[in-house]
Amino acid sequence: MGSPLYRRIAQQIKKEIESGQWKQGDSIPAELHLSEKYEASRVTVRQAIKVLVEEGLLEKIQGSGTYVKEQKIEHNIFELISFTEEMRSLSKEPVNRVLDFQLIHPPDHVQRKLKLSDNEKVFYVRRQRLVDEVPYVLEDTYLPVNLFPNLSYQIMTGSKYDYIEKEVGKKIKDSFQEVIPVLPSEDIAEALTVNVDTPILKIQSYSVFEDGTVFEYSENHFKSDEYKFTLRASRP
């Protein structure tokens, strides 16, 4: 016996979404239109839609309608994992494109965060973080030369945290983060392929080793149409 009609309709709608006939964020056609299209009752169509809502492909918005759900990356800011680790956990293979790599005297605010003296230098690295050639994040990171004297352009095309933990042999403990909605500057907008009037999310963070040493200061710019940020609050 074949699968029920509503499941076959759900599968057909799913194929149309995957093929791009229905775009993320699009409102789906009315039940009457779908029942005529698939030669099924409105009750059957409603069941098919319910299946796809439960699978997370469609979403119902009260008082508005049913839409193709935008598949944003869900980023838990309470979980300290790298972009590479996050993407691989979603079966995506990330690419780190190094746009700038310099040995510099840090700006004052970076010097304070890293607790450096006036004569100490840092590596400044700007990286475009991509998946399937789509830029998701633009990262500006500052790493003290005295902690990472062998840091190179090639190393930063891979996972920064992998290098620190596996090559340098340091254990990362905590990251302290501040999330700010901003409008991007022209260079950041260009790197993220967004308009300058499109809001993005900026996270300013510094990270420490188990011994309390601050080893990194970063400013990460996230495309708001690719990411959503989640918080989990527990009642004491």
Side-chain angles (χ1 to χ4, degrees):
M1 179 182 284
S3 60
L5 178 58
Y6 75 90
R7 289 204 172 273
R8 296 202 300 274
I9 292 171
Q11 193 60 35
Q12 182 59 38
I13 293 173
K14 189 174 181 178
K15 285 180 181 176
E16 291 178 11
I17 292 171
E18 290 172 347
S19 70
Q21 292 180 52
W22 294 12
K23 307 290 186 187
Q24 291 185 25
D26 281 356
S27 172
I28 70 168
E31 283 181 6
L32 178 60
H33 175 86
L34 292 175
S35 67
E36 291 173 353
K37 177 178 179 179
Y38 297 116
E39 299 180 349
S41 70
R42 293 175 70 170
V43 172
T44 301
V45 166
R46 202 171 298 137
Q47 283 180 295
I49 291 170
K50 183 172 182 286
V51 167
L52 295 174
V53 168
E54 289 170 352
E55 288 184 10
L57 281 175
L58 299 179
E59 64 177 339
K60 282 184 174 291
I61 298 177
Q62 190 68 33
S64 178
T66 303
Y67 297 83
V68 181
K69 190 171 183 180
E70 294 184 66
Q71 302 301 313
K72 294 188 178 184
I73 302 297
E74 188 168 336
H75 178 76
N76 183 350
I77 65 173
F78 287 125
E79 199 171 44
L80 181 52
I81 61 173
S82 70
F83 177 80
T84 300
E85 291 166 335
E86 184 172 55
M87 292 301 110
R88 285 178 178 165
S89 73
L90 299 170
S91 300
K92 298 176 182 288
E93 191 55 38
V95 170
N96 297 313
R97 185 174 293 158
V98 178
L99 304 181
D100 199 355
F101 186 98
Q102 296 183 48
L103 182 63
I104 64 168
H105 287 290
D108 289 346
H109 72 288
V110 175
Q111 182 183 337
R112 288 194 297 272
K113 287 291 185 185
L114 294 175
K115 300 178 181 178
L116 300 176
S117 61
D118 289 344
N119 61 347
E120 290 184 275
K121 290 187 175 183
V122 298
F123 287 108
Y124 162 68
V125 188
R126 169 167 280 193
R127 297 194 296 176
Q128 195 182 35
R129 326 297 298 276
L130 306 100
V131 176
D132 298 328
E133 287 300 308
V134 176
Y136 278 40
V137 183
L138 183 71
E139 175 196 76
D140 290 329
T141 192
Y142 301 83
L143 298 153
V145 174
N146 66 333
L147 293 178
F148 310 106
N150 299 319
L151 191 71
S152 68
Y153 179 102
Q154 187 59 39
I155 286 168
M156 292 302 286
T157 63
S159 168
K160 175 177 58 185
Y161 283 3
D162 270 1
Y163 162 72
I164 290 169
E165 293 188 319
K166 294 176 182 176
E167 300 297 326
V168 180
K170 290 286 191 177
K171 183 68 176 170
I172 298 167
K173 183 185 180 187
D174 292 316
S175 176
F176 300 87
Q177 307 181 3
E178 181 181 7
V179 183
I180 311 165
V182 297
L183 291 174
S185 59
E186 286 189 15
D187 58 328
I188 291 171
E190 183 180 355
L192 290 176
T193 62
V194 298
N195 294 323
V196 291
D197 57 357
T198 301
I200 62 170
L201 292 168
K202 177 181 179 181
I203 291 188
Q204 298 177 170
S205 65
Y206 66 93
S207 305
V208 300
F209 292 140
E210 285 192 320
D211 64 3
T213 301
V214 181
F215 70 86
E216 166 199 34
Y217 174 76
S218 291
E219 295 180 354
N220 285 284
H221 305 85
F222 291 80
K223 284 176 79 168
S224 55
D225 60 348
E226 302 290 357
Y227 266 89
K228 66 177 179 179
F229 287 74
T230 60
L231 302 169
R232 176 179 163 180
S234 298
R235 185 171 174 81

